[in-house]
Short mmCIF file of all heavy atoms in Angstrom, two decimals:
data_model
loop_
_atom_site.label_atom_id
_atom_site.label_comp_id
_atom_site.label_asym_id
_atom_site.label_seq_id
_atom_site.Cartn_x
_atom_site.Cartn_y
_atom_site.Cartn_z
N GLY A 1 0.79 -1.22 0.00
CA GLY A 1 0.00 0.00 0.00
C GLY A 1 0.82 1.27 0.00
O GLY A 1 0.28 2.36 0.20
N ILE A 2 2.13 1.15 -0.24
CA ILE A 2 2.98 2.35 -0.27
C ILE A 2 2.67 3.21 -1.48
O ILE A 2 2.67 4.44 -1.41
CB ILE A 2 4.47 1.94 -0.23
CG1 ILE A 2 4.78 1.21 1.07
CG2 ILE A 2 5.37 3.15 -0.41
CD1 ILE A 2 6.21 0.73 1.17
N VAL A 3 2.40 2.58 -2.62
CA VAL A 3 2.05 3.31 -3.84
C VAL A 3 0.75 2.73 -4.39
O VAL A 3 0.51 1.52 -4.28
CB VAL A 3 3.17 3.23 -4.89
CG1 VAL A 3 4.42 3.94 -4.40
CG2 VAL A 3 3.50 1.78 -5.23
N PRO A 4 -0.09 3.54 -5.05
CA PRO A 4 -1.36 3.02 -5.57
C PRO A 4 -1.21 2.24 -6.85
O PRO A 4 -2.06 1.39 -7.18
CB PRO A 4 -2.19 4.29 -5.78
CG PRO A 4 -1.17 5.36 -6.01
CD PRO A 4 0.01 5.01 -5.16
N GLU A 5 -0.16 2.51 -7.61
CA GLU A 5 0.06 1.83 -8.89
C GLU A 5 1.56 1.65 -9.10
O GLU A 5 2.37 2.33 -8.46
CB GLU A 5 -0.55 2.63 -10.04
CG GLU A 5 0.03 4.02 -10.19
CD GLU A 5 -0.64 4.79 -11.31
OE1 GLU A 5 -1.76 4.42 -11.69
OE2 GLU A 5 -0.03 5.75 -11.80
N PRO A 6 1.94 0.71 -9.99
CA PRO A 6 3.37 0.44 -10.19
C PRO A 6 4.15 1.67 -10.63
O PRO A 6 3.65 2.50 -11.40
CB PRO A 6 3.37 -0.63 -11.30
CG PRO A 6 2.03 -1.29 -11.20
CD PRO A 6 1.09 -0.21 -10.77
N LEU A 7 5.36 1.79 -10.12
CA LEU A 7 6.24 2.90 -10.48
C LEU A 7 7.06 2.55 -11.71
O LEU A 7 7.31 1.38 -12.01
CB LEU A 7 7.19 3.21 -9.31
CG LEU A 7 6.55 3.60 -7.98
CD1 LEU A 7 7.64 3.73 -6.92
CD2 LEU A 7 5.77 4.89 -8.12
N GLN A 8 7.48 3.59 -12.42
CA GLN A 8 8.37 3.40 -13.57
C GLN A 8 9.82 3.49 -13.06
O GLN A 8 10.45 4.54 -13.09
CB GLN A 8 8.11 4.46 -14.64
CG GLN A 8 8.97 4.30 -15.88
CD GLN A 8 8.77 2.96 -16.57
OE1 GLN A 8 7.65 2.53 -16.81
NE2 GLN A 8 9.87 2.27 -16.88
N ILE A 9 10.31 2.36 -12.55
CA ILE A 9 11.66 2.32 -11.99
C ILE A 9 12.67 1.96 -13.07
O ILE A 9 13.78 2.50 -13.13
CB ILE A 9 11.74 1.30 -10.84
CG1 ILE A 9 10.66 1.59 -9.79
CG2 ILE A 9 13.12 1.32 -10.20
CD1 ILE A 9 10.59 0.56 -8.69
N LEU A 10 12.27 1.04 -13.94
CA LEU A 10 13.17 0.54 -14.97
C LEU A 10 13.31 1.56 -16.10
O LEU A 10 12.48 2.46 -16.25
CB LEU A 10 12.62 -0.78 -15.51
CG LEU A 10 13.59 -1.77 -16.17
CD1 LEU A 10 14.70 -2.15 -15.20
CD2 LEU A 10 12.82 -3.00 -16.62
N TYR A 11 14.38 1.41 -16.87
CA TYR A 11 14.63 2.23 -18.06
C TYR A 11 14.81 3.71 -17.70
O TYR A 11 14.03 4.58 -18.12
CB TYR A 11 13.52 2.05 -19.10
CG TYR A 11 13.27 0.61 -19.44
CD1 TYR A 11 12.00 0.06 -19.38
CD2 TYR A 11 14.33 -0.22 -19.81
CE1 TYR A 11 11.77 -1.26 -19.68
CE2 TYR A 11 14.13 -1.55 -20.11
CZ TYR A 11 12.84 -2.08 -20.04
OH TYR A 11 12.63 -3.40 -20.32
N GLY A 12 15.83 3.98 -16.92
CA GLY A 12 16.17 5.35 -16.55
C GLY A 12 17.50 5.39 -15.83
O GLY A 12 18.18 4.36 -15.65
N ARG A 13 17.91 6.58 -15.38
CA ARG A 13 19.20 6.76 -14.72
C ARG A 13 19.31 5.93 -13.45
O ARG A 13 20.35 5.33 -13.18
CB ARG A 13 19.38 8.25 -14.40
CG ARG A 13 20.57 8.61 -13.51
CD ARG A 13 21.90 8.28 -14.17
NE ARG A 13 22.15 9.10 -15.31
CZ ARG A 13 22.93 10.18 -15.32
NH1 ARG A 13 23.51 10.59 -14.21
NH2 ARG A 13 23.14 10.86 -16.43
N PHE A 14 18.23 5.86 -12.65
CA PHE A 14 18.30 5.13 -11.39
C PHE A 14 18.58 3.64 -11.64
O PHE A 14 19.43 3.05 -10.97
CB PHE A 14 16.98 5.28 -10.63
CG PHE A 14 16.90 4.44 -9.38
CD1 PHE A 14 17.57 4.82 -8.22
CD2 PHE A 14 16.20 3.24 -9.37
CE1 PHE A 14 17.52 4.03 -7.08
CE2 PHE A 14 16.13 2.45 -8.23
CZ PHE A 14 16.79 2.85 -7.08
N ALA A 15 17.88 3.03 -12.59
CA ALA A 15 18.06 1.61 -12.87
C ALA A 15 19.48 1.33 -13.38
O ALA A 15 20.11 0.34 -12.98
CB ALA A 15 17.03 1.12 -13.89
N VAL A 16 19.98 2.20 -14.25
CA VAL A 16 21.34 2.01 -14.77
C VAL A 16 22.37 2.14 -13.64
O VAL A 16 23.28 1.31 -13.53
CB VAL A 16 21.64 3.04 -15.89
CG1 VAL A 16 23.10 2.97 -16.31
CG2 VAL A 16 20.75 2.78 -17.10
N ALA A 17 22.22 3.18 -12.81
CA ALA A 17 23.16 3.37 -11.70
C ALA A 17 23.11 2.20 -10.74
O ALA A 17 24.15 1.71 -10.27
CB ALA A 17 22.85 4.68 -10.97
N LEU A 18 21.91 1.73 -10.44
CA LEU A 18 21.76 0.59 -9.53
C LEU A 18 22.42 -0.66 -10.10
O LEU A 18 23.14 -1.39 -9.39
CB LEU A 18 20.27 0.33 -9.27
CG LEU A 18 19.93 -0.71 -8.20
CD1 LEU A 18 20.38 -0.22 -6.82
CD2 LEU A 18 18.44 -1.01 -8.19
N GLY A 19 22.19 -0.92 -11.39
CA GLY A 19 22.81 -2.09 -12.03
C GLY A 19 24.33 -2.00 -12.05
O GLY A 19 25.02 -2.99 -11.82
N LEU A 20 24.87 -0.81 -12.31
CA LEU A 20 26.32 -0.64 -12.35
C LEU A 20 26.93 -0.77 -10.95
O LEU A 20 28.01 -1.36 -10.79
CB LEU A 20 26.67 0.71 -12.96
CG LEU A 20 26.44 0.85 -14.48
CD1 LEU A 20 26.71 2.27 -14.93
CD2 LEU A 20 27.32 -0.13 -15.25
N VAL A 21 26.26 -0.20 -9.94
CA VAL A 21 26.76 -0.34 -8.57
C VAL A 21 26.78 -1.82 -8.18
O VAL A 21 27.76 -2.30 -7.58
CB VAL A 21 25.88 0.47 -7.60
CG1 VAL A 21 26.19 0.11 -6.14
CG2 VAL A 21 26.10 1.97 -7.81
N HIS A 22 25.73 -2.54 -8.53
CA HIS A 22 25.68 -3.97 -8.23
C HIS A 22 26.81 -4.72 -8.91
O HIS A 22 27.40 -5.65 -8.35
CB HIS A 22 24.33 -4.52 -8.69
CG HIS A 22 24.14 -5.98 -8.43
ND1 HIS A 22 24.31 -6.94 -9.41
CD2 HIS A 22 23.83 -6.66 -7.30
CE1 HIS A 22 24.09 -8.14 -8.88
NE2 HIS A 22 23.79 -8.00 -7.62
N LEU A 23 27.16 -4.31 -10.12
CA LEU A 23 28.26 -4.96 -10.85
C LEU A 23 29.62 -4.63 -10.28
O LEU A 23 30.51 -5.50 -10.24
CB LEU A 23 28.22 -4.52 -12.31
CG LEU A 23 27.24 -5.18 -13.27
CD1 LEU A 23 27.30 -4.47 -14.62
CD2 LEU A 23 27.57 -6.65 -13.44
N LEU A 24 29.81 -3.40 -9.84
CA LEU A 24 31.17 -2.88 -9.64
C LEU A 24 31.63 -2.79 -8.19
O LEU A 24 32.81 -2.51 -7.95
CB LEU A 24 31.27 -1.49 -10.29
CG LEU A 24 31.03 -1.48 -11.81
CD1 LEU A 24 31.02 -0.06 -12.34
CD2 LEU A 24 32.08 -2.31 -12.52
N ILE A 25 30.76 -3.01 -7.21
CA ILE A 25 31.21 -2.99 -5.82
C ILE A 25 32.40 -3.92 -5.58
O ILE A 25 33.37 -3.53 -4.92
CB ILE A 25 30.04 -3.32 -4.87
CG1 ILE A 25 29.09 -2.13 -4.76
CG2 ILE A 25 30.55 -3.68 -3.47
CD1 ILE A 25 27.86 -2.39 -3.91
N PRO A 26 32.39 -5.17 -6.09
CA PRO A 26 33.55 -6.04 -5.84
C PRO A 26 34.85 -5.50 -6.40
O PRO A 26 35.93 -5.81 -5.87
CB PRO A 26 33.15 -7.34 -6.55
CG PRO A 26 31.66 -7.33 -6.57
CD PRO A 26 31.29 -5.90 -6.76
N PHE A 27 34.80 -4.66 -7.45
CA PHE A 27 36.03 -4.13 -8.04
C PHE A 27 36.69 -3.11 -7.13
O PHE A 27 37.89 -2.84 -7.27
CB PHE A 27 35.72 -3.51 -9.41
CG PHE A 27 35.41 -4.51 -10.47
CD1 PHE A 27 34.10 -4.91 -10.70
CD2 PHE A 27 36.41 -5.08 -11.23
CE1 PHE A 27 33.79 -5.84 -11.68
CE2 PHE A 27 36.13 -6.00 -12.22
CZ PHE A 27 34.81 -6.40 -12.44
N VAL A 28 35.95 -2.49 -6.23
CA VAL A 28 36.56 -1.63 -5.21
C VAL A 28 36.91 -2.45 -3.97
O VAL A 28 37.95 -2.24 -3.34
CB VAL A 28 35.61 -0.48 -4.81
CG1 VAL A 28 36.35 0.51 -3.92
CG2 VAL A 28 35.07 0.23 -6.02
N PHE A 29 36.04 -3.38 -3.63
CA PHE A 29 36.21 -4.14 -2.39
C PHE A 29 37.51 -4.93 -2.37
O PHE A 29 38.27 -4.85 -1.37
CB PHE A 29 35.02 -5.10 -2.22
CG PHE A 29 35.20 -6.07 -1.09
CD1 PHE A 29 34.89 -5.71 0.22
CD2 PHE A 29 35.69 -7.36 -1.31
CE1 PHE A 29 35.06 -6.60 1.27
CE2 PHE A 29 35.87 -8.26 -0.28
CZ PHE A 29 35.55 -7.87 1.01
N PHE A 30 37.82 -5.66 -3.42
CA PHE A 30 38.98 -6.56 -3.36
C PHE A 30 40.32 -5.82 -3.34
O PHE A 30 41.20 -6.20 -2.56
CB PHE A 30 38.91 -7.57 -4.50
CG PHE A 30 37.93 -8.69 -4.23
CD1 PHE A 30 36.72 -8.74 -4.88
CD2 PHE A 30 38.22 -9.66 -3.29
CE1 PHE A 30 35.81 -9.76 -4.62
CE2 PHE A 30 37.32 -10.68 -3.01
CZ PHE A 30 36.11 -10.72 -3.67
N PRO A 31 40.55 -4.76 -4.13
CA PRO A 31 41.79 -4.00 -3.93
C PRO A 31 41.90 -3.39 -2.54
O PRO A 31 42.98 -3.38 -1.94
CB PRO A 31 41.71 -2.90 -5.01
CG PRO A 31 40.80 -3.44 -6.05
CD PRO A 31 39.80 -4.27 -5.32
N LEU A 32 40.78 -2.91 -2.01
CA LEU A 32 40.77 -2.35 -0.66
C LEU A 32 41.10 -3.41 0.37
O LEU A 32 41.94 -3.19 1.28
CB LEU A 32 39.39 -1.77 -0.37
CG LEU A 32 39.23 -0.26 -0.41
CD1 LEU A 32 37.78 0.12 -0.19
CD2 LEU A 32 40.13 0.40 0.61
N PHE A 33 40.45 -4.57 0.26
CA PHE A 33 40.68 -5.63 1.25
C PHE A 33 42.12 -6.10 1.21
O PHE A 33 42.72 -6.41 2.25
CB PHE A 33 39.72 -6.79 0.98
CG PHE A 33 39.81 -7.89 2.00
CD1 PHE A 33 39.19 -7.75 3.24
CD2 PHE A 33 40.52 -9.04 1.75
CE1 PHE A 33 39.27 -8.75 4.19
CE2 PHE A 33 40.62 -10.05 2.69
CZ PHE A 33 39.99 -9.90 3.92
N ALA A 34 42.70 -6.18 0.00
CA ALA A 34 44.10 -6.61 -0.12
C ALA A 34 45.03 -5.64 0.60
O ALA A 34 45.97 -6.06 1.28
CB ALA A 34 44.48 -6.73 -1.59
N VAL A 35 44.78 -4.33 0.46
CA VAL A 35 45.61 -3.33 1.14
C VAL A 35 45.40 -3.39 2.65
O VAL A 35 46.35 -3.35 3.43
CB VAL A 35 45.29 -1.92 0.59
CG1 VAL A 35 45.99 -0.86 1.42
CG2 VAL A 35 45.72 -1.82 -0.87
N MET A 36 44.14 -3.49 3.06
CA MET A 36 43.85 -3.55 4.50
C MET A 36 44.45 -4.79 5.15
O MET A 36 44.89 -4.76 6.30
CB MET A 36 42.33 -3.54 4.72
CG MET A 36 41.66 -2.22 4.44
SD MET A 36 39.88 -2.28 4.80
CE MET A 36 39.38 -0.61 4.37
#
């Protein structure tokens, strides 16, 4: 009941940024973890 109808989340800047963040977090994590 948060929204009355489906939101247009897909096909926009937010969806692209979310997908890229999901892809790329490990690429920062592993160099960082190696240094730490």
Side-chain angles (χ1 to χ4, degrees):
I2 297 178
V3 295
E5 60 182 21
L7 301 174
Q8 182 59 49
I9 306 175
L10 204 58
Y11 307 128
R13 171 64 67 99
F14 174 77
V16 173
L18 188 66
L20 288 175
V21 168
H22 181 260
L23 280 174
L24 298 175
I25 285 176
F27 288 91
V28 189
F29 171 83
F30 283 106
L32 256 176
F33 184 79
V35 171
M36 289 183 180

